[in-house]
Amino acid sequence: MTPILSRLFSRMLATLFIGLLLSPLTLSAQANPAPKVAAAELVEPELEINPLVTEADELRKLIDIKVSETQQLLKEQSQTTAEDYDAYGRRIASRQLAILDEMDNLCSNILEQEQQNLETAEIRKYAGKLLDAAGEKLIAYIDLVEASQESAADPMQKPGSHIPLDRLYQSLGKQITLRESLGMDVTRQKEDLSRRVITRAERLSGRIEISKESEQAITKKVSAEPTNKEHQLALLDIQEKVAKQAKSLSVTITIMNTLEMDSSAYQRLLIKSTGDITTGILDKGVVTGLFAEWFDEAQTTIRENGAVIIFKLFIFSLVIFIFKMLANIVGKLVERSVSTSSLQLSNLLQDMIISSASRIVLITGVLIALSQVGFSLGPLLAGLGVAGFIVGFALQDTLGNFASGMMILIYRPFDNGDLIETGGVLGTVASMNLVSTTLLTIDNQTMIIPNNKIWGDVIKNITNQRHRRVDMVFGIGYGDDIEKTEKVLHDIVTSHDKVLPLPETTIRLHKLNDSSVDFIVRPWVNTADYWDVYWDITREVKMRFDREGISIPFPQRDVHLYQESTNT
């Protein structure tokens, strides 16, 4: 259709619809002006005017005003230039939809008046005429728009239509609902709408299936040539078309449900084409139908491509097996290399390097296996990159743990098997990754601490040094022999086989306390023998002090009482 013919067709179509919609109302208004209902006709003379009556009059006036505005716009449109013709058409269409919305308010007002036993015969008659005219003209307009679609190169284009066809069908359904709310007979209208929505649902379903086939074909082209912008634009265009068609089908299904029609087949198609799970999935027919279709498709696929699928699965499994074996070999080679390296890497860093090398080889094998069964690695890797950026932005705390883990591995404040105290936890380092460190406490509890809490806190490595000093304090009474006590303590320490001769043990009188004379005893031991020496010496001191008659005082206080005699 040439641009000139299309413009003429648009003018004829819009003019015909506006004339059809407004001419009966205009003639009716001229021949029989809209009745103005007096308050005395609606309520008893002795009562005040009901607010609903006033509201009804205002609604009628508003509808008449919109009809007049539409007539004026129609007159101006007939005299305007081609440049502004479509602009007037859109304004006229908005007025038409506004009239339907005000009719909804008017019908609600009528029902509220009748609940209060008010007389609504005249206003019902007025509303009935409007609804009759609107219903007939909506059907005529729908027929014209659908006819224009058939003549268009692209069925989604609507020459001469300023109201989407979906909106027209919704308005027609709403008009039937309003008629039904006023108690009018809608049997014929429902039958006509049911026939129309079935035809529209079938037409939309066919278009969606054709569009999905085109989308699949273009998707294959994009996979084969990811950098081809023409294919990418074509894919976006067909996806947009599918979305529009699916939206129209969704509106049609809603109307079918309102008319209590079976829409399960169309709901299944909508879910398959868009992937959106709607409330229709709760319908038993939709669920069983979807499973039946998927099962049939699976059977057909296996029957037609069973041998190819089995061969691809075999290749996939074989590639994964080979790379898994290769990952184990690489892990052992890396383990041997880092363990004999002169870099003096910590055990934690060695474990990290070994596991990372094995995982990199295994991930490479998975990607190669996917490519062998038909997956395109380009879009997959691009998607992983975008996903990685999004995940990294969302998991900022985890990235902080990662950075702290790297700092721990570089500066090596502790290693596997070290007894450390950090973050308020005392325990042996069991394992570590780039996010957290696992400690095994002395009472055999597993504690997992985020790395940023460890690196941001004081780290006390108790077993990092080979030798440790055992600090002990023993108190004796003020009446005990100081030199004898020093000799006994010296004999106890030097006789223990785990006390080191160097550095020398320190035994000194340290402090004169309130209840005791305190000696410090500080022998040096191997780190692994710390607690054995501590417990053994403490036990031996108690036993030797008892044998030698040296007292171990407990806190005490002397109370002196003075009595004064009073002379009477």
Coordinates of all heavy atoms in Angstrom, one line a residue, residues 98-157:
A98 N -12.4 7.8 27.3 CA -12.9 8.5 28.5 C -14.4 8.3 28.7 O -14.9 8.2 29.8 CB -12.5 9.9 28.4
I99 N -15.1 8.4 27.6 CA -16.6 8.2 27.7 C -16.9 6.8 28.3 O -17.8 6.7 29.1 CB -17.2 8.4 26.3 CG1 -17.1 9.9 25.9 CG2 -18.7 8.0 26.3 CD1 -17.6 10.1 24.4
L100 N -16.2 5.8 27.8 CA -16.5 4.4 28.3 C -16.1 4.4 29.8 O -16.9 3.7 30.6 CB -15.6 3.4 27.6 CG -16.0 3.2 26.1 CD1 -15.0 2.2 25.5 CD2 -17.4 2.6 26.0
D101 N -15.1 5.0 30.3 CA -14.7 5.0 31.7 C -15.8 5.8 32.5 O -16.2 5.3 33.6 CB -13.4 5.7 31.9 CG -12.2 4.9 31.3 OD1 -12.4 3.7 31.2 OD2 -11.2 5.5 31.0
E102 N -16.3 6.9 32.0 CA -17.4 7.6 32.7 C -18.7 6.8 32.8 O -19.4 6.9 33.7 CB -17.6 9.0 32.1 CG -16.4 9.9 32.1 CD -16.0 10.2 33.6 OE1 -16.8 10.0 34.5 OE2 -14.8 10.5 33.7
M103 N -18.9 6.0 31.7 CA -20.0 5.1 31.7 C -20.0 4.1 32.9 O -21.0 3.7 33.5 CB -20.2 4.3 30.4 CG -20.8 5.2 29.3 SD -22.4 5.8 29.7 CE -23.3 4.2 30.1
D104 N -18.7 3.6 33.2 CA -18.5 2.7 34.3 C -19.0 3.4 35.6 O -19.7 2.8 36.4 CB -17.1 2.3 34.4 CG -16.8 1.2 35.4 OD1 -17.8 0.7 36.0 OD2 -15.7 0.8 35.5
N105 N -18.6 4.7 35.8 CA -19.0 5.4 37.0 C -20.5 5.6 37.0 O -21.1 5.5 38.1 CB -18.2 6.8 37.0 CG -16.7 6.6 37.1 OD1 -16.2 5.6 37.7 ND2 -16.0 7.6 36.6
L106 N -21.1 5.9 35.9 CA -22.5 6.1 35.9 C -23.3 4.9 36.2 O -24.2 4.9 37.0 CB -22.9 6.6 34.5 CG -24.4 7.0 34.3 CD1 -24.8 8.1 35.2 CD2 -24.7 7.4 32.8
C107 N -22.9 3.7 35.7 CA -23.5 2.4 36.1 C -23.4 2.1 37.6 O -24.4 1.7 38.2 CB -23.0 1.3 35.2 SG -23.4 1.4 33.5
S108 N -22.2 2.4 38.1 CA -22.0 2.2 39.5 C -23.0 3.1 40.3 O -23.5 2.7 41.4 CB -20.6 2.4 39.9 OG -19.7 1.5 39.2
N109 N -23.1 4.3 39.9 CA -24.0 5.3 40.5 C -25.5 4.8 40.5 O -26.2 4.9 41.5 CB -23.9 6.7 39.9 CG -24.8 7.7 40.5 OD1 -26.0 7.8 40.1 ND2 -24.3 8.5 41.4
I110 N -25.9 4.3 39.4 CA -27.2 3.8 39.2 C -27.5 2.6 40.2 O -28.5 2.6 40.9 CB -27.5 3.3 37.8 CG1 -27.5 4.5 36.8 CG2 -28.8 2.5 37.7 CD1 -27.5 4.1 35.4
L111 N -26.6 1.7 40.3 CA -26.7 0.6 41.3 C -26.8 1.1 42.7 O -27.5 0.6 43.5 CB -25.6 -0.4 41.1 CG -25.5 -1.1 39.7 CD1 -24.3 -2.0 39.7 CD2 -26.8 -1.9 39.5
E112 N -26.0 2.1 43.1 CA -26.0 2.6 44.4 C -27.3 3.3 44.7 O -27.9 3.2 45.8 CB -24.8 3.6 44.6 CG -23.5 3.0 44.6 CD -22.4 4.0 44.8 OE1 -22.7 5.1 45.1 OE2 -21.2 3.6 44.7
Q113 N -27.9 4.0 43.7 CA -29.2 4.7 43.9 C -30.3 3.6 44.1 O -31.1 3.8 45.0 CB -29.5 5.5 42.6 CG -28.8 6.8 42.5 CD -29.4 7.7 41.5 OE1 -30.6 7.9 41.5 NE2 -28.5 8.2 40.6
E114 N -30.2 2.5 43.4 CA -31.2 1.5 43.5 C -31.1 0.8 44.9 O -32.1 0.3 45.4 CB -31.1 0.5 42.4 CG -31.5 1.1 41.0 CD -31.4 0.1 39.9 OE1 -30.7 -1.0 40.1 OE2 -31.9 0.4 38.8
Q115 N -29.9 0.7 45.4 CA -29.8 0.1 46.8 C -30.5 1.0 47.8 O -30.8 0.5 48.9 CB -28.3 -0.1 47.1 CG -27.6 -1.2 46.3 CD -26.1 -1.2 46.6 OE1 -25.6 -0.4 47.4 NE2 -25.4 -2.2 46.0
Q116 N -30.6 2.3 47.5 CA -31.3 3.2 48.4 C -32.7 3.4 48.0 O -33.4 4.4 48.5 CB -30.5 4.5 48.5 CG -29.1 4.4 49.0 CD -28.4 5.7 49.2 OE1 -29.0 6.8 49.2 NE2 -27.1 5.7 49.3
N117 N -33.2 2.5 47.1 CA -34.6 2.6 46.7 C -35.0 3.9 46.0 O -36.1 4.4 46.2 CB -35.6 2.3 47.9 CG -35.4 1.0 48.5 OD1 -35.2 0.0 47.8 ND2 -35.4 0.9 49.9
L118 N -34.1 4.4 45.2 CA -34.4 5.6 44.5 C -34.8 5.2 43.1 O -34.4 4.2 42.5 CB -33.1 6.5 44.4 CG -32.6 7.0 45.7 CD1 -31.3 7.8 45.5 CD2 -33.6 7.8 46.5
E119 N -35.6 6.1 42.5 CA -36.1 5.8 41.1 C -35.0 6.2 40.1 O -34.5 7.3 40.1 CB -37.4 6.7 40.9 CG -37.9 6.6 39.5 CD -38.3 5.1 39.1 OE1 -38.9 4.5 40.0 OE2 -38.1 4.7 38.0
T120 N -34.7 5.2 39.2 CA -33.6 5.4 38.2 C -34.1 5.1 36.8 O -33.2 4.8 36.0 CB -32.4 4.5 38.6 OG1 -32.8 3.2 38.6 CG2 -31.9 4.9 40.0
A121 N -35.4 5.1 36.6 CA -35.8 4.7 35.2 C -35.3 5.6 34.1 O -34.8 5.1 33.1 CB -37.4 4.8 35.2
E122 N -35.3 6.9 34.3 CA -34.9 7.8 33.2 C -33.3 7.7 33.0 O -32.9 7.6 31.8 CB -35.2 9.3 33.6 CG -36.7 9.5 33.6 CD -37.3 9.4 32.2 OE1 -36.6 9.6 31.2 OE2 -38.5 9.1 32.1
I123 N -32.6 7.7 34.1 CA -31.2 7.6 33.9 C -30.7 6.2 33.4 O -29.8 6.1 32.7 CB -30.4 7.9 35.3 CG1 -29.0 8.2 35.0 CG2 -30.6 6.8 36.3 CD1 -28.2 8.7 36.2
R124 N -31.5 5.2 33.8 CA -31.2 3.8 33.2 C -31.4 3.9 31.7 O -30.7 3.2 30.9 CB -32.1 2.8 33.8 CG -31.5 2.0 35.0 CD -32.6 1.1 35.6 NE -31.9 0.1 36.5 CZ -31.4 -1.0 36.1 NH1 -31.4 -1.3 34.8 NH2 -30.8 -1.8 37.0
K125 N -32.5 4.5 31.3 CA -32.8 4.6 29.8 C -31.7 5.3 29.1 O -31.2 4.9 28.0 CB -34.1 5.4 29.7 CG -34.6 5.4 28.2 CD -35.9 6.1 28.1 CE -36.4 6.2 26.7 NZ -37.7 6.9 26.6
Y126 N -31.2 6.4 29.7 CA -30.1 7.2 29.1 C -28.8 6.3 29.0 O -28.1 6.2 28.0 CB -29.8 8.4 30.0 CG -28.6 9.2 29.6 CD1 -28.6 10.1 28.6 CD2 -27.4 9.1 30.4 CE1 -27.5 10.8 28.2 CE2 -26.3 9.8 30.1 CZ -26.3 10.7 29.0 OH -25.2 11.4 28.6
A127 N -28.5 5.6 30.1 CA -27.3 4.7 30.1 C -27.4 3.6 29.1 O -26.5 3.2 28.5 CB -27.0 4.2 31.5
G128 N -28.7 3.0 29.0 CA -28.9 1.9 28.1 C -28.6 2.3 26.7 O -28.0 1.6 25.9
K129 N -29.1 3.5 26.3 CA -28.9 4.0 24.9 C -27.4 4.2 24.6 O -26.9 3.8 23.6 CB -29.6 5.4 24.7 CG -31.1 5.3 24.7 CD -31.7 6.6 24.4 CE -33.3 6.5 24.3 NZ -33.9 7.8 24.1
L130 N -26.7 4.7 25.6 CA -25.2 4.9 25.4 C -24.5 3.6 25.3 O -23.7 3.4 24.4 CB -24.6 5.7 26.6 CG -24.9 7.2 26.7 CD1 -24.3 7.8 27.9 CD2 -24.3 7.9 25.4
L131 N -24.9 2.6 26.1 CA -24.2 1.3 26.1 C -24.6 0.6 24.8 O -23.7 -0.1 24.2 CB -24.7 0.4 27.3 CG -24.1 0.9 28.6 CD1 -24.7 0.1 29.8 CD2 -22.6 0.7 28.6
D132 N -25.9 0.7 24.3 CA -26.2 0.1 23.0 C -25.4 0.6 21.9 O -24.9 -0.1 21.1 CB -27.7 0.3 22.8 CG -28.6 -0.6 23.7 OD1 -28.0 -1.6 24.2 OD2 -29.8 -0.3 23.9
A133 N -25.3 2.0 21.9 CA -24.6 2.6 20.8 C -23.1 2.3 20.9 O -22.5 2.0 19.9 CB -24.8 4.2 20.9
A134 N -22.5 2.3 22.1 CA -21.1 2.0 22.2 C -20.8 0.6 21.8 O -19.8 0.4 21.2 CB -20.7 2.3 23.7
G135 N -21.7 -0.3 22.2 CA -21.4 -1.7 21.9 C -21.4 -2.0 20.4 O -20.5 -2.6 19.8
E136 N -22.4 -1.4 19.7 CA -22.5 -1.6 18.2 C -21.3 -1.0 17.5 O -20.7 -1.5 16.6 CB -23.8 -1.0 17.7 CG -25.0 -1.8 18.2 CD -26.3 -1.1 17.8 OE1 -26.2 0.0 17.1 OE2 -27.4 -1.6 18.1
K137 N -20.9 0.3 18.0 CA -19.8 1.0 17.3 C -18.5 0.3 17.6 O -17.6 0.3 16.8 CB -19.8 2.4 17.7 CG -21.2 3.1 17.4 CD -21.8 2.8 16.1 CE -23.2 3.3 15.9 NZ -24.2 2.4 16.4
L138 N -18.3 -0.2 18.8 CA -17.1 -0.9 19.1 C -16.9 -2.1 18.2 O -15.8 -2.4 17.7 CB -17.1 -1.4 20.6 CG -16.6 -0.3 21.6 CD1 -16.9 -0.9 23.0 CD2 -15.2 0.0 21.5
I139 N -18.0 -2.9 18.0 CA -17.9 -4.1 17.1 C -17.6 -3.6 15.7 O -16.7 -4.3 15.0 CB -19.2 -4.8 17.2 CG1 -19.4 -5.5 18.6 CG2 -19.3 -5.9 16.1 CD1 -20.7 -6.2 18.8
A140 N -18.2 -2.6 15.3 CA -17.9 -2.1 13.9 C -16.5 -1.6 13.8 O -15.8 -1.9 12.8 CB -18.9 -0.9 13.6
Y141 N -16.0 -0.9 14.8 CA -14.6 -0.5 14.8 C -13.6 -1.7 14.8 O -12.6 -1.7 14.1 CB -14.3 0.4 16.0 CG -13.1 1.3 15.8 CD1 -12.6 1.6 14.6 CD2 -12.4 1.8 17.0 CE1 -11.4 2.4 14.5 CE2 -11.3 2.5 16.9 CZ -10.8 2.9 15.6 OH -9.7 3.7 15.5
I142 N -13.9 -2.7 15.6 CA -13.0 -3.9 15.7 C -13.0 -4.5 14.3 O -11.9 -5.0 13.9 CB -13.6 -4.8 16.8 CG1 -13.3 -4.3 18.2 CG2 -12.9 -6.2 16.6 CD1 -13.9 -5.1 19.3
D143 N -14.1 -4.7 13.6 CA -14.2 -5.3 12.3 C -13.3 -4.5 11.3 O -12.5 -5.1 10.5 CB -15.6 -5.3 11.8 CG -16.4 -6.4 12.5 OD1 -15.8 -7.3 13.2 OD2 -17.7 -6.2 12.5
L144 N -13.4 -3.1 11.4 CA -12.6 -2.3 10.5 C -11.1 -2.5 10.8 O -10.3 -2.6 9.9 CB -13.0 -0.8 10.6 CG -14.4 -0.5 10.1 CD1 -14.7 0.9 10.4 CD2 -14.4 -0.7 8.6
V145 N -10.7 -2.5 12.1 CA -9.3 -2.6 12.4 C -8.7 -3.9 12.0 O -7.6 -4.0 11.5 CB -9.1 -2.3 14.0 CG1 -7.6 -2.6 14.4 CG2 -9.4 -0.9 14.3
E146 N -9.5 -5.0 12.3 CA -9.0 -6.3 11.9 C -8.9 -6.4 10.4 O -8.0 -7.1 9.8 CB -10.0 -7.4 12.4 CG -9.8 -7.6 14.0 CD -10.7 -8.6 14.5 OE1 -11.7 -9.0 13.8 OE2 -10.5 -9.1 15.6
A147 N -9.8 -5.8 9.6 CA -9.7 -5.8 8.2 C -8.5 -5.1 7.7 O -7.8 -5.5 6.8 CB -11.0 -5.2 7.6
S148 N -8.2 -4.0 8.4 CA -7.0 -3.2 8.0 C -5.7 -4.0 8.3 O -4.7 -3.9 7.6 CB -7.0 -1.9 8.8 OG -6.8 -2.1 10.2
Q149 N -5.8 -4.8 9.4 CA -4.6 -5.6 9.7 C -4.3 -6.6 8.6 O -3.2 -6.9 8.2 CB -4.8 -6.4 11.0 CG -4.6 -5.6 12.3 CD -4.7 -6.4 13.5 OE1 -5.1 -7.6 13.5 NE2 -4.3 -5.8 14.6
E150 N -5.4 -7.2 8.1 CA -5.2 -8.2 7.0 C -4.6 -7.6 5.8 O -3.9 -8.3 5.1 CB -6.6 -8.9 6.7 CG -7.2 -9.7 7.9 CD -6.3 -10.8 8.3 OE1 -5.6 -11.4 7.5 OE2 -6.3 -11.1 9.5
S151 N -4.9 -6.3 5.6 CA -4.3 -5.7 4.4 C -3.0 -5.1 4.6 O -2.3 -4.6 3.6 CB -5.3 -4.6 3.9 OG -5.4 -3.6 4.9
A152 N -2.5 -5.1 5.8 CA -1.2 -4.5 6.1 C -0.1 -5.6 5.8 O -0.2 -6.8 6.0 CB -1.1 -4.1 7.6
A153 N 1.1 -5.1 5.5 CA 2.3 -5.9 5.3 C 2.7 -6.6 6.6 O 3.0 -7.8 6.6 CB 3.4 -5.1 4.7
D154 N 2.6 -5.9 7.7 CA 3.0 -6.4 9.0 C 1.7 -6.5 9.8 O 1.0 -5.4 10.1 CB 4.0 -5.5 9.7 CG 4.4 -6.1 11.1 OD1 3.8 -7.1 11.5 OD2 5.3 -5.5 11.7
P155 N 1.2 -7.7 10.2 CA -0.1 -7.8 10.9 C -0.1 -7.0 12.2 O -1.2 -6.7 12.7 CB -0.2 -9.3 11.2 CG 0.7 -9.9 10.2 CD 1.8 -9.0 9.9
M156 N 1.0 -6.7 12.8 CA 1.0 -6.0 14.0 C 0.8 -4.5 13.8 O 0.5 -3.7 14.8 CB 2.4 -6.1 14.8 CG 2.6 -7.6 15.2 SD 1.3 -8.3 16.2 CE 1.4 -7.2 17.6
Q157 N 0.9 -4.0 12.6 CA 0.6 -2.6 12.3 C -0.9 -2.4 12.1 O -1.6 -3.3 11.6 CB 1.4 -2.1 11.0 CG 2.9 -2.3 11.2 CD 3.4 -1.4 12.3 OE1 2.9 -0.3 12.5 NE2 4.4 -1.8 13.0

